[in-house]
Amino acid sequence: MRVGFYQFAPILREVEINLGKVETAIRHTRADLVVLPEMCFTGYMLSSRDELAKFAEPVPTGPICCRMVDLCRERNTSLAFGLAEQDADRIYNSAVLVTNSGDVHVYRKSHLFLDEKDIFDPGDTPFPVFRLDGVGIGMLVCFDYIFPESGRALALNGAQVVCHPSNLVLDYAQWMTLTRAAENRVFWIVANRTGSETSAEKTLSFTGRSQVVAPTGKLLYRAGTDTEELPVIDIDPRDALDKMATPRNHLLEDRRTDLYPR
Amino acid sequence: MRVGFYQFAPILREVEINLGKVETAIRHTRADLVVLPEMCFTGYMLSSRDELAKFAEPVPTGPICCRMVDLCRERNTSLAFGLAEQDADRIYNSAVLVTNSGDVHVYRKSHLFLDEKDIFDPGDTPFPVFRLDGVGIGMLVCFDYIFPESGRALALNGAQVVCHPSNLVLDYAQWMTLTRAAENRVFWIVANRTGSETSAEKTLSFTGRSQVVAPTGKLLYRAGTDTEELPVIDIDPRDALDKMATPRNHLLEDRRTDLYPR
C-alpha cells in the first residue's frame, strides 16, 4: 500500500486556489492513500461561527467533497482531508475519507482545541473505522491525538492505518504520535500544514514535520518544518494486525478493563 | 520535594547483599522519595512458582518490608520498590511504598510481562494513589507503562508523581514515558536496573537509563545504560496539579468518555 501526505500552506479563505493546488499535486502522484491537513481548503482561522458557516459544507454533497470524489476516481486514489462540515445547524471540524471508488466517510473531531470551542460543535462520531481495499482506516483531527483514548478507540475498532489531518501549533504531536503508533501497533500518518495565519487577536505558526510512523513506533519519514512536500512510501498494513509486544503480550487483549476507571 | 531513583544491578537470590547495598546507598542520600527497581532485593529470574514462593513475603509484615520501614524512619525518607508479595496462596509482582512515617502501601502489577504469566498472579489493585506529605503518589511496575490506561488511571485517581519500579529489557519505556508524563501532566520516575541475569533458557539484559520526567514531558534527568547511580532532583509536585494543555484544554476533563469504548 502506497501511502503519503501532502504538507503545504493552505491560503486562508482561498478555497479555489487551495483546491487547484491539491488537484495538481495529486495528479502528479501515484499513491493508494494520501492524507492532507486539517481545514486544508479553507484555512484554519475563520473568524467567527458566522464566517465558518459560510465555508462549511454538507458531506458528501458539498462542493469540496464532490471535487475530491472526482479527483479520487480520476486518479484511482483515496484521500483523507479536513474540512468544516455543516449538518443542519451544526458545524463540525471533520476529517473526510474519499475512497478510490468514490465512497465518502466522515469523522468529526472529538476534542476541540482552544478557541475551536467557540465556533465548532464537538464531534459525535465514536471513532469509526472504514475499509479501504480490505484495510481498516481510522481518522483523527489534530488535537485528538493528545488523548490516548482516541488512538486506542481506533485500534479497538480495527484501524490499521490512522490518518491524522492536522494544523499543529504545539510541538507534542511529532514525538507523542510515535507512542500512539507503538502502543496500538498501527501505522500513523500525521499530515500537518506549514506557514502561519493571523487574525485580529493573534498569529498561529504551524509546525510542519508531518510524518509516517510504523506500528513499532519507528519513524518511517518526517517532513521538514517549512517544506512543501508529498512523499509516498510503501507500507504493509498487515503489520498492524500483529498486536504482540512480546510473544505472550497482546496489546489489546492484555488490557485490564476490569481495573480501569471510566 | 527531593526525588530520585537508585539504579543498580541487584544480584539474583542474594537478598541480604541487595538489602545491605540499598541501606548503604540510602544512608548516604538526603531525599524525600527514592524509587528502586522492580524485584530489586531478590533479582528477577526466579526459576519457578515454587522458587518464587520461597522469596515472596507478606506486606507489610515480611522481612524486606520491615527493613525498609526501619530505614525510612531512620532517614526520614520514603521509598518505592518492587518485591514478590505473598498473600495467602497468591503471589504478586508488587510495588511497595514505605513512607517516612512507616506507613506501607502496595500496588500489584496489573499487566504481567511474558513468562511472568506462569509464576505471578495478575494484580487486583485498581491503580491506587497514596498521600505522601499531601502529594498524590501512584505506582506502576515495569510493563504496565505500555498500556496508556495505567498512567491514565493513576492521573484520574489523583497521582502527581508516578513511581515506576522496572526491570526493562525492551527500549520502549524511555521514550514512551515522556508521552505518559505529558498526556497526564504528572511527574514520572522510572527506576530501572542494570546488568543481566541468566537462566537455563535465556539471558535477559536490562537497559538502565532510568529517568525523571516533568509533567510537560521534559526529561529532567536520565541515567546511563550501565551506571550505578542515585541522583536526586528537586521537583514541585504542584506542577502536576495543572492539567491545562492550553488555557482552555484540560487533559482529564476534556476527555470524551461518551465516545470511548471499554
Side-chain angles (χ1 to χ4, degrees), chain B residues 3-4 10 25 59 80 84 93 133 150 222 262:
Chain B
V3 303
V59 175
N93 186 343
D133 300 332
S150 307
R222 178 176 283 166
R262 282 299 285 180

Side-chain angles (χ1 to χ4, degrees), chain B residues 66-141:
Chain B
C66 289
R67 290 272 285 268
M68 292 301 109
V69 166
D70 290 346
L71 182 64
C72 286
R73 284 184 171 142
E74 172 194 329
R75 297 295 302 163
N76 188 30
T77 192
S78 299
L79 294 173
F81 54 90
L83 55 55
E85 179 195 3
Q86 181 95 47
D87 181 14
D89 61 343
R90 303 202 165 218
I91 305 178
Y92 301 101
N93 186 343
S94 293
V96 174
L97 174 67
V98 178
T99 73
N100 51 2
S101 53
D103 293 333
V104 179
H105 304 292
V106 70
Y107 161 75
R108 295 164 170 172
K109 188 175 190 173
S110 303
H111 306 88
L112 297 176
F113 182 71
L114 210 51
D115 298 337
E116 290 173 20
K117 295 185 179 193
D118 296 327
I119 59 172
F120 284 105
D121 292 284
D124 56 358
T125 48
F127 306 100
V129 171
F130 309 103
R131 309 308 293 183
L132 179 62
D133 300 332
V135 176
I137 308 289
M139 294 185 281
L140 297 178
V141 179

Side-chain angles (χ1 to χ4, degrees), chain A residues 111 180 183 257 260 262, chain B residues 111 172 180 183 257 260 262:
Chain A
H111 307 87
R180 296 285 169 260
E183 70 199 8
T257 54
Y260 304 150
R262 281 300 285 178
Chain B
H111 306 88
Y172 291 114
R180 295 287 170 259
E183 71 199 7
T257 53
Y260 305 150
R262 282 299 285 180

